[in-house]
Amino acid sequence: MTIVLDARWINDEMSGIGRSTLGLLTGLAEIGPDQPIIALGGRSDLIDEAVGGLSRAAWLEHVGFPISPTSLRSQWRLPRLLRSLGAALFHSPYVYAPLWRSGGMKIVITVHDLIPERCSGGLAKSRKVQFAPLWRTWCRLQYRRADAIITVSDFSRRELIEYADVAASSITRIHNGVALPPAGDDGRRFRERFGARGVIISYIGRHDPYKNLDALVRAFGRLREMVGGEVTLVIAGRRDPRYPQAESAARELHLNGQVIFTDYLDEATRQSLLRASTVFAFPSRYEGFGLPPLEAMAAGVPVVASNAASLPEVLGDAATLVPPDDTEALARAMATLILDADARRAAIERGRERAARFTWRRCAQEYLALYERVIGV
């Protein structure tokens, strides 16, 4: 019985969905499943690297499908392709499974969060918010037609039950994993490329308003008064002209030389940034999981994050958690980790221990068990 995993999210500038899909394949490669799996679409070179070589992964086949999962054309072409592949189960890592299917094929979808609905006030320029009734209708069709729904946190599971009226019995929570960082430079690559000096506070992620980056910039301004010396804030992630709040705050506080906006980073540069960082800051108001701070913990970087949404569930007491809009508390927490070597060492140790609980192998085992249950193996 062939399982088809939609890998089209594994692309040149991967979001969290793409990173988690690639991580799932990494975990599956560690197990070597008995069931044949097809990775549909996505960059074959990244998939090849994740599984240790497609030619050696007898359980996995990569089939190209260069059509965006969000397009209407995909809804037309995908069902016929799945039928030709003999798919017993199709897993969409987001809410873009085909609405039409044949031959008793089962559908599994992963719901990461309800951001377009729950954070709509700050996302007025998002198409999902601009066409909110259509988006809600689409999502509810996906929820109803799925044979199983996976959420990446208990928080997202509760959100689905409360705000989308999804039956609790149809939802399974499977936490994401996190990979141990590969060997690499000590951060010099990043420093030389971007001219970052002194102590580095880093953030990696989107620029959407719910990420609360303007509060991070304001807290950084206060932090500089607390610690003295040379301190740099690095905000990494694709810049979005729709949401200039963080850059506006940096200009307002005359921090242009101390705040670096990098745009999207390739994996090697991303890892170099983490190695260069003294503190990783993640003051988001809403997350379905929160992969970047967990990746920072795995890399040995102490984390300060908000106490909102899924972050307490995922990060536990390994991070310093503060209210998302308390810039003074955020600044003090970052200052403590910079100035107090003992506190920093303890935070690094707790973070590594916490990250070690979230493996892609464990994640893949839980996915395989769910696939088998849905198919009826």
Side-chain angles (χ1 to χ4, degrees):
M1 291 189 175
T2 300
I3 295 164
V4 177
L5 171 63
D6 193 346
R8 287 176 287 175
W9 306 93
I10 301 172
N11 51 36
D12 292 336
E13 294 191 5
M14 283 187 289
S15 65
I17 297 170
R19 294 180 71 81
S20 60
T21 305
L22 195 63
L24 174 57
L25 285 169
T26 302
L28 289 169
E30 292 183 29
I31 298 168
D34 295 328
Q35 305 93 331
I37 295 177
I38 292 174
L40 185 67
R43 277 184 52 181
S44 60
D45 58 328
L46 295 178
I47 295 170
D48 183 83
E49 182 180 358
V51 302
L54 280 163
S55 61
R56 293 190 294 275
W59 55 275
L60 181 67
E61 178 185 358
H62 178 253
V63 173
F65 190 53
I67 298 175
S68 168
T70 65
S71 70
L72 289 175
R73 189 164 162 241
S74 177
Q75 286 292 315
W76 174 251
R77 295 281 301 277
L78 183 56
R80 287 184 288 178
L81 176 59
L82 293 173
R83 184 170 56 186
S84 71
L85 294 173
L89 181 148
F90 177 75
H91 174 198
S92 171
Y94 197 32
V95 287
Y96 287 105
L99 294 180
W100 177 80
R101 53 178 153 170
S102 63
M105 184 187 73
K106 304 295 185 181
I107 286 179
V108 172
I109 62 173
T110 299
V111 177
H112 296 264
D113 53 60
L114 268 65
I115 286 170
E117 296 179 53
R118 300 285 285 124
C119 302
S120 59
L123 296 173
K125 298 176 183 178
S126 163
R127 282 183 294 178
K128 291 174 184 174
V129 173
Q130 290 171 347
F131 299 97
L134 182 60
W135 175 249
R136 281 196 297 270
T137 299
W138 172 262
C139 289
R140 279 149 183 74
L141 271 173
Q142 291 280 311
Y143 304 152
R144 285 200 298 269
R145 294 179 64 82
D147 295 286
I149 298 171
I150 296 163
T151 62
V152 295
S153 64
D154 289 321
F155 170 78
S156 288
R157 185 175 187 273
R158 292 192 299 271
E159 291 277 280
L160 266 183
I161 294 167
E162 182 173 354
Y163 295 101
D165 198 27
V166 176
S169 59
S170 67
I171 308 171
T172 300
R173 187 271 290 150
I174 300 178
H175 281 142
N176 286 325
V178 64
L180 291 174
D185 66 74
D186 59 359
R188 189 177 310 164
R189 170 181 179 153
F190 180 85
R191 288 182 180 274
E192 290 177 352
R193 176 176 169 184
F194 290 97
R197 298 183 299 274
V199 170
I200 291 179
I201 309 292
S202 62
Y203 162 87
I204 299 174
R206 297 171 63 95
H207 284 224
D208 303 61
Y210 69 88
K211 294 294 190 178
N212 205 22
L213 297 184
D214 54 334
L216 175 57
V217 171
R218 295 182 189 285
F220 173 71
R222 180 74 180 97
L223 170 72
R224 292 179 69 245
E225 299 172 2
M226 295 178 177
V227 301
E230 200 159 35
V231 189
T232 301
L233 172 62
V234 175
I235 295 179
R238 187 165 65 87
R239 297 166 87 163
D240 192 332
R242 297 175 300 173
Y243 308 121
Q245 290 91 332
E247 295 182 63
S248 297
R251 285 193 298 271
E252 177 190 332
L253 298 174
H254 307 290
L255 295 172
N256 290 10
Q258 290 77 45
V259 182
I260 297 174
F261 295 90
T262 69
D263 224 318
Y264 185 84
L265 298 179
D266 61 56
E267 188 61 25
T269 309
R270 179 189 180 106
Q271 293 298 330
S272 184
L273 167 59
L274 289 176
R275 292 189 193 95
S277 299
T278 299
V279 177
F280 186 87
F282 202 75
S284 180
R285 295 188 183 95
Y286 189 99
E287 294 292 323
F289 184 76
L291 194 54
L294 199 62
E295 290 174 328
M297 287 180 172
V301 185
V303 171
V304 177
S306 76
N307 60 2
S310 63
L311 294 174
E313 173 187 343
V314 173
L315 305 178
D317 62 359
T320 303
L321 301 178
V322 300
D325 293 313
D326 190 339
T327 55
E328 184 70 17
L330 179 56
R332 284 198 307 269
M334 293 189 292
T336 297
L337 292 171
I338 292 170
L339 298 174
D340 188 332
D342 290 337
R344 186 166 62 253
R345 279 193 294 270
I348 290 170
E349 183 178 350
R350 290 196 307 272
R352 283 183 167 142
E353 289 174 355
R354 183 73 180 180
R357 300 182 189 181
F358 294 83
T359 69
W360 286 117
R361 182 186 182 94
R362 183 270 316 152
C363 176
Q365 287 171 332
E366 294 183 29
Y367 268 100
L368 284 174
L370 181 133
Y371 294 158
E372 291 175 358
R373 186 168 74 247
V374 171
I375 294 172
V377 174

